[in-house]
């Protein structure tokens, strides 16, 4: 974690430059030589450099700083400011030279070292970045996290983990360090160390729900279902009011055939305000899949979906739609597809599901209206022209059917099955208009394509 570099500017301007001026000038005495003019000139150039840097005119800032050097070359702050400006200009060689000069004059100045570290880091010079940040660690422990990150870059994972452990012990846990630790475990594939770390954390602080949940997840990730289930039950024992544990428990209960317990966990998960809608959708999808294989629990599914009527998202409604479609309840399937489409009106798959189901139940007016609206969103989708043509044919609007079918054929590419359907519908439309020649021509084209399949 880098320290705020604006502090550097303020400290240097307020402390270093004025002290230089005060040390050299007696403001109650009229100068008897040109020293006062030199100091005024120095300050004018220095503040001009700061102003130019502030408005990102780094070249002009450098020019002003060189004029400062011509007047006084013994102030490390000048080299520091030059280093910062050269760094901004991506002139890393000049930046490094000036910063090293500043550091040689003030070896323990953390701000100088920090800027030099940034120069190396921008160049991906990890060797010198490591060398510099090891000096910085002496002055501020926050740099240890940067050092750990560099160790990861250098594939020195054990050294990185040791540093992270030190920081956790000294300052407590943090999300950023946990993320780095997990990256290391993922890179090395060392699941045992990851789990051991979590178990130790739980031993140190049994009431931390987050660590329990992470342990359940990690065991599940490694395929160790037995210990994952054990960890979930342990969390429930420690925190009986935990809601998140049921996101895992319902799966274990279903796998063990403990359906009543699973239903209880599903209900808790779906009615808990702490659990987000995406997680709830996953729970409901899993239970829908279970009921699809075990239809005797459909009444429980109805009860459960009633609990979340106001909270179901588009994906949940879509999953329920497919479930009811497989179960043969087309009305409920269509109702759920439409609810999903209300929430996500531009979802092409949902649009197609609704239109095909409306065709299946012979709601042709709805197909015409909805397909025309859909064509405004997706004017190049041939399936929309086809369903519109089918619906118009069934409504005896054959000319409209022909217009849409012929337009749709222009967008059709490499789909012989759909092309045959277009020709079949065109044949029906022309036959209804007593244009027998065209009807037979399209019928033959459809038959030829079907024979090739």
């Amino acid at each position: 974690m880098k320290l705020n570099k604006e502090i550097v500017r303020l400290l240097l301007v307020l402390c270093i430059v004025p002290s230089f001026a005060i040390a050299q000038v007696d403001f109650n005495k009229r100068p008897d030589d040109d020293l006062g003019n030199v100091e005024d000139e120095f300050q004018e150039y220095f503040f001009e450099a700061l102003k130019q840097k502030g408005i990102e005119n780094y070249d002009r800032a450098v020019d002003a700083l060189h004029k400062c050097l011509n007047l006084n070359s013994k102030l490390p702050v000048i080299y520091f400011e030059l280093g910062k400006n050269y760094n901004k200009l991506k002139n890393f060689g000049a930046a490094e030279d000036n910063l090293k000069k500043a550091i040689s004059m003030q070896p323990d100045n953390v701000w100088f070292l920090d800027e030099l570290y940034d120069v190396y880091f921008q160049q991906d010079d990890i060797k010198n970045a490591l060398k510099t940040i090891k000096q910085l660690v002496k002055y501020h422990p926050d740099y240890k996290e940067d050092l750990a990150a560099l160790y990861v870059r250098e594939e020195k994972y054990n050294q990185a983990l040791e540093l992270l452990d030190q920081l956790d012990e000294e300052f407590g846990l943090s999300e950023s360090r946990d993320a780095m630790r997990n990256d290391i475990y993922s890179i090395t594939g060392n699941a045992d160390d990851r789990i051991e770390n979590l178990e130790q954390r739980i031993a140190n602080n049994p009431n931390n729900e987050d660590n329990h949940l992470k342990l359940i997840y990690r065991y599940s990730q490694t395929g160790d279902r037995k210990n994952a289930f054990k960890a979930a039950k342990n969390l429930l024992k420690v925190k009986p009011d935990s809601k998140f544990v049921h996101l895992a428990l319902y799966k274990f209960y279903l796998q063990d055939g403990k359906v009543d317990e699973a239903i209880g966990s599903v209900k808790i998960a779906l009615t808990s305000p702490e659990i987000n809608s995406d997680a709830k959708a996953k729970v409901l999808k899993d239970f829908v899949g279970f009921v699809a294989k075990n239809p005797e629990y459909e009444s429980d599914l109805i009860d459960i979906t009633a609990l979340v009527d106001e909270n179901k998202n588009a994906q949940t409604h879509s999953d329920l739609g497919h479930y009811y479609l497989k179960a043969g309840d087309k009305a409920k399937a269509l109702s759920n597809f439409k609810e999903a489409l209300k929430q996500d009106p531009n979802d092409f798959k949902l649009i197609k599901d609704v239109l095909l189901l409306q065709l299946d139940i012979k709601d042709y007016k709805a197909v015409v209206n909805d397909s025309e609206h859909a064509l405004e969103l997706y004017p190049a989708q041939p399936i929309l022209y086809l369903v519109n043509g089918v619906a118009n044919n069934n409504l005896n609007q054959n000319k409209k059917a022909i217009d849409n079918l012929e337009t749709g054929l222009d967008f059709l590419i490499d789909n012989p099955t759909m092309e045959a359907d277009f020709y079949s519908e065109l044949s029906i439309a022309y036959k209804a208009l007593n244009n027998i020649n065209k009807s037979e021509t399209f019928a033959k084209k459809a038959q030829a394509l079907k024979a090739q399949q």
Side-chain angles (χ1 to χ4, degrees):
M1 181 189 300
K2 291 197 171 185
L3 301 177
N4 191 334
K5 294 188 178 181
E6 284 305 306
I7 296 174
V8 179
R9 184 178 67 80
L10 293 173
L11 288 174
L12 292 172
V13 173
L14 294 175
C15 299
I16 299 175
V17 176
S19 64
F20 162 74
I22 292 168
Q24 300 294 325
V25 181
D26 180 355
F27 290 104
N28 295 316
K29 179 182 177 182
R30 183 182 180 85
D32 53 7
D33 54 26
D34 64 350
L35 184 58
N37 291 334
V38 169
E39 289 165 354
D40 289 344
E41 192 176 1
F42 176 90
Q43 289 193 48
E44 182 181 338
Y45 289 137
F46 186 80
F47 283 105
E48 176 66 15
L50 293 180
K51 183 184 81 172
Q52 294 298 334
K53 185 183 71 174
I55 58 176
E56 301 182 4
N57 285 333
Y58 304 116
D59 285 316
R60 291 186 179 182
V62 167
D63 291 341
L65 288 166
H66 278 294
K67 290 175 181 177
C68 288
L69 279 182
N70 291 335
L71 296 170
N72 189 336
S73 61
K74 295 180 180 180
L75 289 175
V77 65
I78 307 303
Y79 298 101
F80 174 53
E81 286 294 325
L82 276 168
K84 287 200 290 184
N85 282 283
Y86 279 128
N87 196 12
K88 291 290 187 182
L89 290 166
K90 307 297 182 186
N91 187 343
F92 298 121
E96 181 182 9
D97 290 342
N98 280 280
L99 289 167
K100 282 185 173 180
K101 178 70 173 175
I103 292 167
S104 71
M105 300 169 78
Q106 286 187 4
D108 297 332
N109 191 306
V110 65
W111 312 111
F112 298 174
L113 289 166
D114 180 79
E115 191 68 28
L116 182 60
Y117 165 60
D118 187 65
V119 169
Y120 291 136
F121 189 82
Q122 286 198 67
Q123 298 176 87
D124 209 27
D125 184 349
I126 304 303
K127 180 180 178 181
N128 279 314
L130 272 170
K131 180 180 176 182
T132 308
I133 206 166
K134 284 177 181 177
Q135 293 175 266
L136 281 164
V137 166
K138 300 174 188 175
Y139 305 106
H140 206 290
D142 278 357
Y143 284 103
K144 285 185 178 179
E145 197 164 323
D146 291 82
L147 179 56
L150 288 179
Y151 279 142
V152 173
R153 293 275 297 275
E154 285 285 278
E155 300 182 5
K156 297 177 178 178
Y157 303 118
N158 289 335
Q159 289 167 275
L161 288 170
E162 286 175 13
L163 268 179
L164 294 174
D165 288 341
Q166 289 174 21
L167 288 166
D168 286 349
E169 187 174 343
E170 189 172 354
F171 301 103
L173 305 178
S174 84
E175 290 186 11
S176 61
R177 290 197 294 276
D178 275 354
M180 195 185 307
R181 189 188 300 276
N182 282 324
D183 286 343
I184 294 169
Y185 290 141
S186 297
I187 292 167
T188 60
N190 199 335
D192 291 340
D193 280 356
R194 191 199 305 257
I195 288 171
E196 184 181 340
N197 177 261
L198 287 169
E199 288 177 334
Q200 186 59 52
R201 289 186 181 189
I202 290 169
N204 294 337
N205 185 4
N207 292 318
N208 187 308
E209 183 178 16
D210 189 50
N211 286 330
H212 285 276
L213 294 170
K214 286 177 180 175
L215 183 60
I216 296 166
Y217 173 73
R218 293 305 173 190
Y219 273 131
S220 299
Q221 197 178 41
T222 60
D224 190 344
R225 179 191 171 280
K226 180 180 177 181
N227 276 317
F229 195 8
K230 181 180 176 182
K233 289 187 286 189
N234 186 46
L235 171 55
L236 196 62
K237 188 184 297 181
V238 173
K239 291 183 73 71
D241 60 344
S242 171
K243 303 297 187 293
F244 290 99
V245 70
H246 292 282
L247 291 173
L249 280 174
Y250 83 91
K251 293 183 179 180
F252 299 131
Y253 288 141
L254 285 176
Q255 289 168 0
D256 286 352
K258 298 179 179 179
V259 180
D260 289 341
E261 288 91 335
I263 290 171
S265 287
V266 167
K267 287 180 177 178
I268 291 171
L270 293 180
T271 56
S272 298
E274 300 98 317
I275 296 175
N276 66 44
S277 58
D278 288 342
K280 289 178 179 178
K282 175 69 168 63
V283 174
L284 189 54
K285 181 177 182 179
D286 286 345
F287 194 68
V288 167
F290 169 77
V291 175
K293 296 176 183 177
N294 302 274
E296 64 269 26
Y297 293 103
E298 184 173 351
S299 61
D300 294 294
L301 176 62
I302 293 170
D303 291 342
I304 285 169
T305 53
L307 294 173
V308 291
D309 270 345
E310 296 180 0
N311 298 314
K312 290 198 286 287
N313 62 13
Q315 185 60 52
T316 300
H317 278 295
S318 178
D319 292 336
L320 284 169
H322 285 291
Y323 163 74
Y324 284 118
L325 193 58
K326 287 179 183 176
D329 193 334
K330 295 177 183 178
K332 283 186 179 179
L334 183 58
S335 174
N336 276 282
F337 285 143
K338 284 183 174 180
E339 285 297 323
L341 199 57
K342 283 180 185 177
Q343 296 184 39
D344 197 356
N346 295 332
D347 187 314
F348 180 73
K349 185 178 183 304
L350 280 173
I351 291 171
K352 188 170 70 170
D353 287 340
V354 168
L355 288 170
L356 292 175
L357 193 48
Q358 286 172 332
L359 268 185
D360 195 28
I361 64 174
K362 300 182 171 33
D363 190 354
Y364 300 122
K365 287 184 179 179
V367 174
V368 170
N369 290 334
D370 292 346
S371 61
E372 287 176 355
H373 176 69
L375 281 166
E376 293 175 7
L377 296 172
Y378 299 102
Q381 287 291 341
I383 185 66
L384 300 179
Y385 294 96
L386 178 59
V387 295
N388 183 282
V390 172
N392 271 311
N393 268 340
N394 280 279
L395 292 170
N396 296 318
Q397 298 293 321
N398 308 108
K399 288 183 179 179
K400 286 184 179 179
I402 290 170
D403 288 342
N404 275 284
L405 291 166
E406 289 181 342
T407 302
L409 276 170
D410 292 336
F411 293 106
L412 191 62
I413 301 172
D414 295 331
N415 192 333
T417 301
M418 191 182 294
E419 188 177 359
D421 291 337
F422 268 95
Y423 292 146
S424 294
E425 289 301 319
L426 281 166
S427 175
I428 292 169
Y430 278 114
K431 185 175 182 179
L433 294 172
N434 289 319
N435 191 333
I436 305 303
N437 286 336
K438 278 198 171 184
S439 176
E440 290 179 352
T441 299
F442 282 116
K444 288 177 182 177
K445 284 185 176 184
Q447 288 170 4
L449 284 170
K450 289 175 182 177
Q452 294 172 12
Q453 295 172 32

